[in-house]
Amino acid sequence: MNSAYLYVRVSTDEQKRKGYSLPEQEERLLRHCEQNNIEVKGIFREDYSAKNFNRPEWGKLLSTLKTRKKKDAENVLFIKWDRFSRNIEYAYQMIGILRGIGVQAMAIDQPIDFTIPESTVMLAVYLSIPEAENGRRALNTMAGMRRAKKAGRWISTAPKGYQNLSYPDGRKYIAPRQPEASLMQWVFQELAKGFYNAEQVRKMAYSRGLKCERNNFWKIIRNPIYCGVVVVPPYENEEIQFVKALHEPIISESLFYEVQDVLNGNRKKVATKVVSMDALPLRGFLECPDCHRMLTGSASKGRHGNYYHYYHCSDKCKCRFKANTVNEYFEKELLNFELTPAVGKLYKTVVMDIFQSQNRTGLDERKHLAGKIDEQEKILSNARKRYMTDEIDADDFKAIKLECNEALRILEAKLTDMPNKLDSLKSVEGLLDIVIEKYSNIQKHYKNANISDKRKLIGSMYPQNLCFDGTGHRTPYLNNALSLILLVNSNLNGIKKGEKLSFNNLSPQVARRGIEPLFLE
């Protein structure tokens, strides 16, 4: 051996754990060449994994060997065979390639005399040991990862909305990162509404600052990590497991499963919102008095460059109204719905009383969910008994068990997220205060509201379309609560000054109507 190329390699993982270093390998190889009078033609330093030969520096070395001018016998020296390769199949292939161009691979700490046929046995041992080490290391790593997941830890790079952090003792964990966490919460809330599809929500979130590509977005909205659940995939005889995570969830489990229902098409989507200009708040709520089709709205440019807005029907129907006339008429009509302090107080008292007396609905829903949980547990118990008596085979029992566990997990999440009675009472009382405040001065509130809030208010008042004929309007029926308010307001004049307002001193027409606890936005 008169000359050789030196190859030194280390992986980052080994460099940290075992203390291997490129300079140390290089120094030993140079000392070996000096002691054996070997000319060093080049040194190639690699910091790359040896699972295959797709390595930058090895590619350069192989290219140099193939393009050398003199095709004399050449050598590649390294410390051990695990520096050359950790895959026995690829190692034999590369040895064959090197022999084809007149190059011999040699390890100075594990020398092989290729002139002796029996030495190939030692080569097989040297090459197989690193691959066996890799296999064992992979199994240990996988086992450690499964243990961490079963403990509720997220072991990968933090998903959108989270960040990787470490405890003082070095243990890793993830925690919400703002403002991404709030944006992800908003994403799930919008998806649950069903107004927009996933791609539309992604684009809206992108405009708000959430940088996420389409493919990754679909993955993260399917990931239960956001509701505090870690998925442990099946392995050998173990089934898939859903473990409560140690990190803080961004959303509730019920919201996550609600979004999954929308994405899977199991829940009917809400109709698309009608977009309207500020000057046309009633667009989408007006019905043509002639052909009873929906009126649309548009603006026309006048002679002096001004724009005039109209509500109008299709081309065949000539029905047309000035937008200002209709809007002003509607604003005057709102005065009929203004709540006096006495009516507002009565409305709140009656609704709260009815809500408390009918709060059994929440209890009934809890009982309903508890009944479903018992039903799933009975199915699972029955399947277990049939499996023990050989009525069903192992595959059928496994399928039934998986299906029941999934149903139980979703039902228990819904039961856990149901609000308690006190929280519900406070929530309803707060909503009523908002409704009474708005309807106590509804005309002013409507005029100062933006186009979106105006349309919400109109939609909450009229379940069916309005029909304006130029002088007045007709509608099939009002919202039940507002219809009652009109009747109460019309009876106020008959109540004596200082007399307490109650259903006893209202007209029989009002008393017969009763009241429905309907909460408006």
Side-chain angles (χ1 to χ4, degrees):
M1 184 183 297
N2 297 321
S3 62
Y5 290 89
L6 307 184
Y7 179 72
V8 292
R9 186 196 66 80
V10 66
S11 65
T12 305
D13 180 61
E14 288 176 331
Q15 189 173 5
K16 287 182 178 179
R17 292 189 298 105
K18 294 185 178 180
Y20 288 137
S21 66
L22 296 175
E24 180 186 1
Q25 294 181 47
E26 184 176 334
E27 182 182 352
R28 290 186 59 196
L29 287 170
L30 289 173
R31 191 184 310 119
H32 174 82
C33 292
E34 183 180 354
Q35 293 173 353
N36 293 276
N37 297 322
I38 299 173
E39 178 188 356
V40 177
K41 289 192 172 182
I43 302 175
F44 293 84
R45 305 169 182 86
E46 189 90 80
D47 185 7
Y48 220 76
S49 171
K51 61 182 179 181
N52 54 47
F53 284 93
N54 295 328
R55 315 172 208 160
E57 291 301 314
W58 181 265
K60 294 179 182 179
L61 171 58
L62 191 59
S63 177
T64 301
L65 293 171
K66 288 180 178 179
T67 57
R68 68 189 192 280
K69 295 181 179 179
K70 292 184 179 181
K71 299 299 181 181
D72 297 336
E74 201 65 82
N75 299 278
V76 174
L77 296 181
F78 37 83
I79 297 294
K80 292 183 178 181
W81 284 101
D82 62 353
R83 302 300 90 197
F84 176 68
S85 176
R86 284 185 169 270
N87 184 295
I88 190 170
E89 179 181 356
Y90 292 145
Y92 276 120
Q93 289 179 356
M94 184 54 65
I95 290 173
I97 293 172
L98 293 176
R99 284 178 179 176
I101 57 176
V103 178
Q104 185 70 58
M106 295 292 294
I108 62 173
D109 284 0
Q110 297 170 333
I112 297 291
D113 188 353
F114 289 99
T115 61
I116 302 174
E118 289 77 11
S119 62
T120 56
V121 177
M122 288 304 302
L123 176 63
V125 173
Y126 290 145
L127 293 177
S128 60
I129 288 176
E131 183 171 354
E133 289 178 351
N134 270 10
R136 175 52 57 187
R137 187 184 305 162
L139 287 176
N140 292 340
T141 301
M142 185 180 65
M145 292 171 65
R146 288 186 65 82
R147 284 196 299 271
K149 287 183 177 181
K150 289 178 181 180
R153 293 174 52 201
W154 179 259
I155 57 176
S156 306
T157 304
K160 288 285 182 181
Y162 285 96
Q163 58 183 332
N164 291 103
L165 297 174
S166 299
Y167 291 111
D169 60 0
R171 290 182 297 117
K172 309 291 184 181
Y173 72 100
I174 60 174
R177 177 174 60 186
Q178 298 296 346
E180 281 188 346
S182 297
L183 286 173
M184 286 305 305
Q185 188 179 43
W186 177 86
V187 163
F188 280 98
Q189 290 171 349
E190 287 299 310
L191 288 171
K193 293 177 182 177
F195 286 134
Y196 308 101
N197 60 38
E199 180 60 16
Q200 289 173 322
V201 173
R202 185 190 72 83
K203 290 180 178 179
M204 289 189 290
Y206 189 88
S207 65
R208 289 169 173 255
L210 183 68
K211 308 303 180 185
C212 186
E213 298 301 325
R214 181 184 303 174
N215 292 339
N216 189 36
F217 184 78
W218 272 100
K219 291 179 182 178
I220 62 178
I221 60 178
R222 293 285 194 178
N223 194 342
I225 195 68
Y226 292 99
C227 66
V229 175
V230 175
V231 179
V232 184
Y235 178 70
E236 293 183 350
N237 295 327
E238 294 184 7
E239 299 176 357
I240 186 171
Q241 300 178 42
F242 298 90
V243 181
K244 186 172 181 58
L246 298 177
H247 64 266
E248 177 186 350
I250 290 178
I251 60 173
S252 65
E253 284 191 55
S254 59
L255 176 59
F256 176 79
Y257 293 124
E258 190 175 353
V259 170
Q260 304 314 303
D261 285 341
V262 173
L263 296 176
N264 295 332
N266 296 332
R267 203 187 79 181
K268 187 177 180 180
K269 291 187 178 181
V270 181
T272 306
K273 293 180 180 179
V274 178
V275 181
S276 182
M277 292 183 287
D278 291 345
L280 301 169
L282 294 169
R283 181 174 179 262
F285 295 108
L286 293 176
E287 180 182 302
C288 177
D290 298 330
C291 65
H292 304 293
R293 286 187 292 186
M294 187 75 70
L295 292 183
T296 184
S298 62
S300 299
K301 190 174 183 181
R303 295 180 180 178
H304 303 290
N306 297 325
Y307 284 89
Y308 302 92
H309 295 81
Y310 296 89
Y311 295 108
H312 57 86
C313 199
S314 60
D315 294 338
K316 295 181 180 179
C317 182
K318 303 301 181 183
C319 182
R320 181 184 181 93
F321 303 107
K322 288 184 178 180
N324 288 339
T325 303
V326 182
N327 294 340
E328 290 174 3
Y329 173 82
F330 181 77
E331 290 174 3
K332 291 179 181 178
E333 282 292 307
L334 290 176
L335 292 173
N336 294 324
F337 301 101
E338 283 195 353
L339 288 176
T340 63
V343 175
K345 186 176 180 180
L346 174 64
Y347 179 75
K348 180 178 178 180
T349 302
V350 173
V351 172
M352 291 297 294
D353 182 61
I354 293 177
F355 177 79
Q356 292 182 42
S357 63
Q358 294 184 350
N359 196 39
R360 293 172 55 188
T361 304
L363 296 175
D364 292 341
E365 188 173 354
R366 283 181 174 273
K367 290 181 179 178
H368 178 67
L369 288 175
K372 283 191 171 182
I373 291 174
D374 290 339
E375 181 182 343
Q376 292 296 325
E377 288 178 346
K378 288 179 181 178
I379 293 173
L380 185 57
S381 176
N382 185 42
R384 188 177 292 109
K385 291 178 181 178
R386 294 179 64 190
Y387 173 62
M388 295 298 293
T389 56
D390 294 330
E391 293 182 36
I392 59 175
D393 58 22
D395 291 338
D396 290 338
F397 173 70
K398 186 176 181 180
I400 294 172
K401 183 180 178 182
L402 187 64
E403 185 176 345
C404 289
N405 286 338
E406 177 69 12
L408 284 170
R409 186 165 54 86
I410 295 174
L411 289 171
E412 289 171 354
K414 290 182 178 180
L415 188 63
T416 302
D417 290 336
M418 284 189 66
N420 60 44
K421 182 178 178 181
L422 182 60
D423 291 340
S424 299
L425 197 63
K426 291 181 179 179
S427 177
V428 170
E429 187 175 8
L431 287 173
L432 283 172
D433 290 337
I434 295 173
V435 171
I436 292 171
E437 188 277 327
K438 288 183 177 180
Y439 276 86
S440 296
N441 199 352
I442 188 172
Q443 189 184 61
K444 182 179 178 181
H445 173 75
Y446 178 82
K447 288 182 178 180
N448 295 334
N450 56 40
I451 185 65
S452 178
D453 291 340
K454 284 182 179 179
R455 293 179 63 79
K456 284 183 179 180
L457 183 62
I458 298 168
S460 67
M461 293 171 62
Y462 297 98
Q464 294 188 6
N465 296 327
L466 290 154
C467 186
F468 182 80
D469 60 7
T471 58
H473 79 285
R474 58 179 174 81
T475 184
Y477 59 88
L478 276 169
N479 175 290
N480 289 336
L482 295 180
S483 179
L484 179 62
I485 288 170
L486 281 178
L487 290 173
V488 173
N489 284 340
S490 66
N491 281 265
L492 287 178
N493 295 330
I495 299 175
K496 297 178 182 180
K497 186 175 181 180
E499 184 178 358
K500 186 178 180 181
L501 180 62
S502 68
F503 276 108
N504 295 329
N505 51 25
L506 295 177
S507 69
Q509 184 184 14
V510 178
R512 284 196 305 269
R513 287 293 302 275
I515 189 167
E516 296 182 9
L518 182 62
F519 314 117
L520 309 178
E521 290 184 326

